[in-house]
Amino acid sequence: MSSPRLILGVESSCDETAAAVVADGREVRSSVVASQIELHARYGGVVPEIASRAHIEAIDTVIERALAQAGARPDDLAAVAVTDEPGLIGSLLVGLMAAKALAWAWSKPLIGVNHVYAHAYSPALDAEPIDYPAVALVCSGGHTALYRCDSPTEIQLLGSTIDDAAGEAFDKVASLLELGYPGGPAIDRAAREGDPAAVDFPRTLLKGQSLDFSFSGLKTAVLYHVRGVPGGRRPGGDPPQRGPLTPAEVADVAASFQAAVVDVLRIKLRRAVRQSGARTIVIGGGVSANSALRAAARTLAEKLGCELRLPELAYCVDNAAMIAGLADHHLRAGRTDGLDLAAHPTVRR
Ligand code: KG4
Ligand code: ZN
């Protein structure tokens, strides 16, 4: 048997500094993630300048730890992979410069990897290969989009959010309910004690069979429910809430908001499966850790007779294992990059 192909992955597109070593695209030998959550929590969101500086401080140590935990030496590596798009430009540049320096010093190929496509690949980590064609829903703090995937690297956009990302809506509603940052896990927890039918928040589905998403109306509906409609009563509704919500009311709002997001994601996923004819459903990105979404996706996949591929919880949020894993498929196809590889804030390829 030939020796495994090891790839070092580096990820710094948002607020996690991460490095990982993955063998043959799926076997995770190490996955180190240095979170910056505490640095950004007091601002209620990621502050790009703070993120870039924190990446610079952490990146060397994170890469060293990933190599050490995998028991890998630079000589053992087949390539160095790095997120080159999309993300915060200052953050992306830190990982990209580190990866370029190492690829050059160690004479290894450099492979730029799209962060969103890597989320769509994450269910293959420490698991069986994904059966293609697949419909992939990537929902995170920065992205909410549906793709048709014919292989790990052949990906076509079907629809995406026209305003907020699903994770962003979770973070904003959590902040409104004073549940802390990041909001997704906090809402998930609070919702367990609440009634998802307590408040009938809107499900924005857009026209016809659209596969695009919109979450800003839902966010405003939660705001009005909690703080009251500016200038008066809600048409046909209860008088606006004034005092702080009781813990039971917070749980009900969290559960009802979460149910509205999950309904929209489920309905769009069903449309995409019907339109594309794919028999595999892939879900990735931070919001794929949501317990209600995971449960709804299981029921949907069963109804449609599709195979459902969810990432392990450790690979839902940002990590570098998904970058190294997807890079293996680029390497196999002979796609590597030069040291002139640039970072891009938006999706280019
Ligand atoms: O994939 P990720 O780490 O970063 C981006 O690429 O954006 O996703 C982070 C997002 C945050 O908005 C966070 O609130 C959300 O994922 N998230 C969740 C859960 N865990 C993380 N949203 C809902 N339920 C969760 N359990
Ligand atoms: Zn992400």
Side-chain angles (χ1 to χ4, degrees):
M1 244 181 74
S2 58
S3 54
R5 198 172 37 243
L6 295 185
I7 295 186
L8 169 69
V10 177
E11 152 67 38
S12 69
S13 65
C14 191
D15 61 341
E16 326 277 0
T17 319
V21 175
V22 175
D24 295 330
R26 288 186 293 115
E27 189 196 320
V28 181
R29 296 280 177 93
S30 66
S31 179
V32 177
V33 181
S35 170
Q36 302 177 5
I37 283 176
E38 279 170 23
L39 292 177
H40 301 288
R42 56 190 285 223
Y43 303 101
V46 178
V47 182
E49 180 62 22
I50 293 176
S52 316
R53 286 169 189 269
H55 283 308
I56 292 173
E57 283 170 20
I59 194 106
D60 288 352
T61 318
V62 166
I63 292 174
E64 274 169 24
R65 278 174 49 205
L67 287 171
Q69 283 179 19
R73 291 160 305 151
D75 269 359
D76 302 329
L77 299 174
V80 178
V82 62
T83 307
D84 61 342
E85 68 175 42
L88 300 170
I89 192 71
S91 291
L92 284 168
L93 282 171
V94 178
L96 187 62
M97 292 308 142
K100 279 185 186 180
L102 295 177
W104 176 74
W106 297 338
S107 304
K108 301 290 175 188
L110 177 72
I111 304 173
V113 174
N114 177 303
H115 176 92
V116 184
Y117 301 169
H119 272 306
Y121 178 75
S122 62
L125 297 172
D126 285 337
E128 293 302 308
I130 295 167
D131 260 337
Y132 294 96
V135 161
L137 168 67
V138 177
C139 39
S140 67
H143 317 277
T144 298
L146 278 161
Y147 300 92
R148 180 196 163 93
C149 310
D150 286 294
S151 77
T153 56
E154 292 166 284
I155 298 185
Q156 198 192 327
L157 181 69
L158 300 175
S160 61
T161 181
I162 57 170
D163 41 54
D164 294 351
E168 199 179 343
F170 269 96
D171 294 336
K172 286 179 180 159
V173 167
S175 150
L176 186 65
L177 296 175
E178 295 177 5
L179 289 172
Y181 172 85
I187 297 236
D188 202 340
R189 266 193 310 276
R192 280 181 207 143
E193 313 296 323
D195 174 8
V199 191
D200 187 17
F201 287 128
R203 275 76 169 150
T204 307
L205 296 176
L206 303 172
K207 281 210 179 90
Q209 287 299 303
S210 168
L211 295 177
D212 289 331
F213 300 87
S214 167
F215 293 107
S216 68
L218 170 60
K219 195 183 61 188
T220 308
V222 179
L223 175 72
Y224 285 180
H225 181 83
V226 173
R227 299 252 173 96
V229 183
R233 300 164 72 97
R234 268 185 302 157
D238 306 327
Q241 302 252 10
R242 300 229 186 266
L245 299 185
T246 64
E249 285 168 334
V250 167
D252 280 349
V253 172
S256 303
F257 159 77
Q258 179 172 274
V261 175
V262 169
D263 265 359
V264 169
L265 296 175
R266 177 179 52 78
I267 292 166
K268 298 281 170 165
L269 200 46
R270 188 177 60 203
R271 278 185 191 171
V273 169
R274 292 207 170 128
Q275 287 177 26
S276 73
R279 309 272 17 115
T280 303
I281 297 174
V282 165
I283 307 186
V287 182
S288 68
N290 185 267
S291 56
L293 176 60
R294 290 172 92 91
R298 282 193 193 101
T299 310
L300 176 69
E302 213 166 284
K303 272 196 193 143
L304 296 174
C306 289
E307 190 190 5
L308 174 67
R309 299 298 307 268
L310 291 167
E312 284 188 15
L313 287 180
Y315 307 132
C316 290
V317 286
D318 288 349
N319 65 87
M322 64 183 191
I323 305 300
L326 180 53
D328 188 76
H329 294 270
H330 287 303
L331 187 62
R332 257 194 260 175
R335 212 222 90 219
T336 61
D337 291 290
L339 291 175
D340 57 349
L341 179 66
H344 293 268
T346 52
V347 176
R348 193 178 35 118
R349 60 172 169 240

